[in-house]
């Protein structure tokens, strides 16, 4: 074995064989004034935002009015349907009332219940109003009965 250590590094010359060329470029430094956009560009952006907001407002109003008109049309249709149903029910009730108030039907129903026609029919004609009132202004049954008997 030799006297040199096994992990030794080779030696290099401390002097490089070439010299690098370095040039220094001086900058202007940071600009103190912030960069601004051209005023035409700012005005165009403002106009674009205003136009967009106006279009959005018009669109919102249009949707609102369309929704309101659709709702009114639906309500009108429902009311028309309810009116038709009420008229149909009224016509049906008139026909039913007419058939139930038929005198021949009433005679048949009365006979089936064991009723007979009266032998003598009398009518009472009241010339004046027989309803009387008491001192407090309320209707008086006893006074009305006495006024009826006096006729």
């Amino acid at each position: 074995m030799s006297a040199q250590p096994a992990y030794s590094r080779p030696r290099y010359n401390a002097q490089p064989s070439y010299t690098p060329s370095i040039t220094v470029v001086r900058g202007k430094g940071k600009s103190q004034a912030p960069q601004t956009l051209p005023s035409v560009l700012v005005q165009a952006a403002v106009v674009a935002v205003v136009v967009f907001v106006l279009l959005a407002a018009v669109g919102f109003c249009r949707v609102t009015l369309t929704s309101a008109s659709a709702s009114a049309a639906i309500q009108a249709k429902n009311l028309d349907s309810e009116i038709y149903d009420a008229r149909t029910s009224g016509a049906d009730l008139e026909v039913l009332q007419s058939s139930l108030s038929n005198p021949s039907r009433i005679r048949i129903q009365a006979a089936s219940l064991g009723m007979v026609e009266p032998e003598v029919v009398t009518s009472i004609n009241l010339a004046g109003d027989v309803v009387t009132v008491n001192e407090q202004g309320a209707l008086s049954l006893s006074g009305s009965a006495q006024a009826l008997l006096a006729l």
Side-chain angles (χ1 to χ4, degrees):
M1 275 220 219
S2 75
Q4 286 186 336
Y7 53 85
S8 69
R9 298 185 290 179
R11 292 188 170 229
Y12 292 107
N13 263 341
Q15 294 288 343
S17 62
Y18 68 94
T19 58
S21 79
I22 297 176
T23 57
V24 176
V25 178
R26 294 199 180 264
K28 295 181 183 178
K30 287 188 177 180
S31 174
Q32 297 298 326
Q35 292 181 348
T36 59
L37 295 174
S39 64
V40 173
L41 186 62
V42 172
Q43 288 175 353
V46 168
V47 168
V49 168
V50 168
V51 167
F52 178 75
V53 168
L54 287 176
L55 287 176
V58 167
F60 178 75
C61 290
R62 181 182 165 108
V63 167
T64 302
L65 291 175
T66 303
S67 172
S69 66
S71 176
I74 290 171
Q75 287 178 351
K77 183 73 172 167
N78 288 342
L79 287 176
D80 285 342
S81 175
E82 288 178 17
I83 289 171
Y84 176 78
D85 292 344
R87 286 183 178 163
T88 303
S89 296
D92 291 345
L93 289 174
E94 286 179 7
V95 169
L96 183 62
Q97 189 269 339
S98 175
S99 68
L100 290 176
S101 65
N102 186 357
S104 62
R105 183 193 163 285
I106 293 175
R107 281 190 194 100
I108 293 171
Q109 286 289 94
S112 70
L113 293 173
M115 297 178 162
V116 293
E117 290 187 37
E119 295 175 6
V120 179
V121 176
T122 58
S123 313
I124 300 176
N125 292 328
L126 300 176
D129 189 12
V130 295
V131 177
T132 60
V133 293
N134 59 12
E135 296 84 27
Q136 290 84 20
L139 294 178
S140 172
L141 181 62
S142 61
S144 299
Q146 286 177 357
L148 182 63
L149 291 177
L151 292 176

